[in-house]
Amino acid sequence: YQRRVRGTSLCLMAEVQVACIGNSIQYYNDCPRLLEALSNGGVVQDSCFRGGCTFRSILEKGNRMNKLWRTPNALRGDGTHDIGAGTIEELLSVRRDYVIMNDFTQGPARDESRADSIAVLLQSYAPMLERCGGIPVFLVTPAYQFPSRGSEDLGDPEEFTELLLQGYQSYVNVLAAVLPEAQRPRIAPVGPAFLMVRSESPGLWECMFQLDGFHPSPCGTFLEACVLFYTMFGRAPPASLDDAATLWSRARNMAPHGEEPLRLPTSEEMEYLSLIHISEPTRLLSISYAVFCLKKKKKTT
């Protein structure tokens, strides 16, 4: 990649093929198509999503976006709808450069579900990842804004995020041991980036969640996409941040389904959020700059 200035093209040797695997943390506000928009067309994505899924359940049950993404923006020229690949096997049957993956939010923070995810990553995902050639990018989901869905024992947002980081680090470790060096997994610390916003701009942090306190709002999805972009390419997205509506003009659905979407981020908010990045994103087992700052702050207070 070569980045010039915002609003100009992102120069590419070839289109970057990105596969997205996960649940509503990614499909709310259509993060995959937002990534395409932020790249000025340099990223080409496909996905397999299922609400509330774990790595195992989506592998076994497949895509469930046939209703949520049956919208005008999802309509293709041939009359079909772009809802993503039907199965994980289909999604990873072709060459990929990156594979973005997120587990059920509480999964990595709990011993039993973490162990199950590690088992299925080793047994089923690792061979498919090696065949498609994509670098795994684990999306560390944001901790819930407030305790819900039985998360009370996971602590406050900082404690919850630390447990999530430990879980995703274990996913990285097991895949790093079996995949080729060129596919060393990466961590996209979206959750720690949310905590940075909480520390620096509490009012904006409150606007980064849906009313349920765990799904991302458009502001939250924007930060998520920026952290993912930086984790893959080591730089801020090149797209112009003057108009959020333009960035989301191709979104297949601005969830929650059937409800009025929350407001889009302002240009000033997008400029701020686009600069919250991770340190050394291309290195294996990297820890986010956000977490480093938070730990340093805790030691000095």
Side-chain angles (χ1 to χ4, degrees):
Y1 268 74
Q2 174 188 353
R3 180 169 177 258
R4 296 178 180 174
V5 297
R6 290 201 188 280
T8 62
S9 297
L10 187 64
C11 300
L12 301 170
M13 297 296 292
E15 290 180 334
V16 177
Q17 299 292 327
V18 177
C20 303
I21 297 170
N23 48 44
S24 52
I25 298 300
Q26 290 192 65
Y27 71 66
Y28 261 51
N29 312 305
D30 205 344
C31 187
R33 283 200 174 178
L34 179 59
L35 272 173
E36 289 182 329
L38 287 170
S39 74
N40 284 343
V43 165
V44 177
Q45 60 77 30
D46 198 1
S47 61
C48 186
F49 292 141
R50 187 179 187 89
C53 74
T54 63
F55 290 144
R56 184 177 296 278
S57 65
I58 194 170
L59 180 68
E60 295 175 347
K61 298 178 180 179
N63 188 316
R64 199 181 180 184
M65 301 301 294
N66 56 314
K67 292 183 179 180
L68 286 176
W69 279 354
R70 193 171 293 275
T71 63
N73 268 4
L75 193 63
R76 297 190 180 104
D78 62 2
T80 63
H81 288 82
D82 176 16
I83 65 169
T87 65
I88 300 299
E89 291 87 346
E90 178 187 346
L91 182 68
L92 301 183
S93 66
V94 297
R95 182 189 68 82
R96 301 295 181 189
D97 296 299
Y98 296 96
V99 181
I100 297 170
M101 308 173 68
N102 79 280
D103 204 351
F104 176 70
T105 294
Q106 295 185 38
R110 299 190 180 281
D111 293 341
E112 184 176 352
S113 51
R114 180 190 304 183
D116 184 67
S117 287
I118 287 173
V120 76
L121 285 170
L122 281 173
Q123 295 165 8
S124 301
Y125 283 86
M128 291 188 286
L129 287 166
E130 186 168 1
R131 285 194 296 271
C132 78
I135 297 172
V137 177
F138 285 106
L139 189 169
V140 179
T141 55
Y144 299 160
Q145 189 177 30
F146 45 79
S148 62
R149 309 183 78 184
S151 69
E152 289 79 6
D153 61 316
L154 299 178
D156 63 23
E158 287 85 357
E159 293 167 329
F160 193 170
T161 299
E162 185 62 31
L163 291 171
L164 289 171
L165 276 168
Q166 292 171 14
Y168 277 104
Q169 192 70 70
S170 67
Y171 298 168
V172 166
N173 292 345
V174 296
L175 285 186
V178 297
L179 290 176
E181 177 68 17
Q183 288 181 265
R184 297 175 71 176
R186 304 181 187 180
I187 285 180
V190 176
F194 269 60
L195 290 185
M196 281 295 289
V197 179
R198 184 173 187 255
S199 174
E200 296 179 351
S201 182
L204 178 56
W205 177 75
E206 292 179 357
C207 294
M208 294 178 68
F209 295 88
Q210 297 286 342
L211 299 180
D212 58 23
F214 56 89
H215 286 114
S217 70
C219 291
T221 297
F222 180 82
L223 177 57
E224 177 181 312
C226 288
V227 174
L228 286 167
F229 192 96
Y230 199 87
T231 303
M232 291 186 286
F233 307 120
R235 63 199 67 212
S240 170
L241 303 182
D242 293 334
D243 181 24
T246 299
L247 292 175
W248 266 286
S249 63
R250 296 179 61 246
R252 288 162 286 193
N253 203 334
M254 297 294 286
H257 184 62
E259 297 183 20
E260 285 295 319
L262 300 180
R263 70 170 182 85
L264 300 179
T266 67
S267 58
E268 291 79 10
E269 288 168 342
M270 289 192 293
E271 284 289 347
Y272 164 69
L273 294 171
S274 72
L275 297 176
I276 298 180
H277 302 319
I278 62 173
S279 177
E280 301 290 342
T282 61
R283 295 190 183 276
L284 177 65
L285 312 181
S286 61
I287 185 167
S288 73
Y289 180 68
V291 171
F292 170 79
C293 290
L294 285 166
K295 287 183 175 179
K296 185 176 182 181
K297 183 176 291 186
K298 284 183 178 180
K299 289 180 180 178
T300 57
T301 55

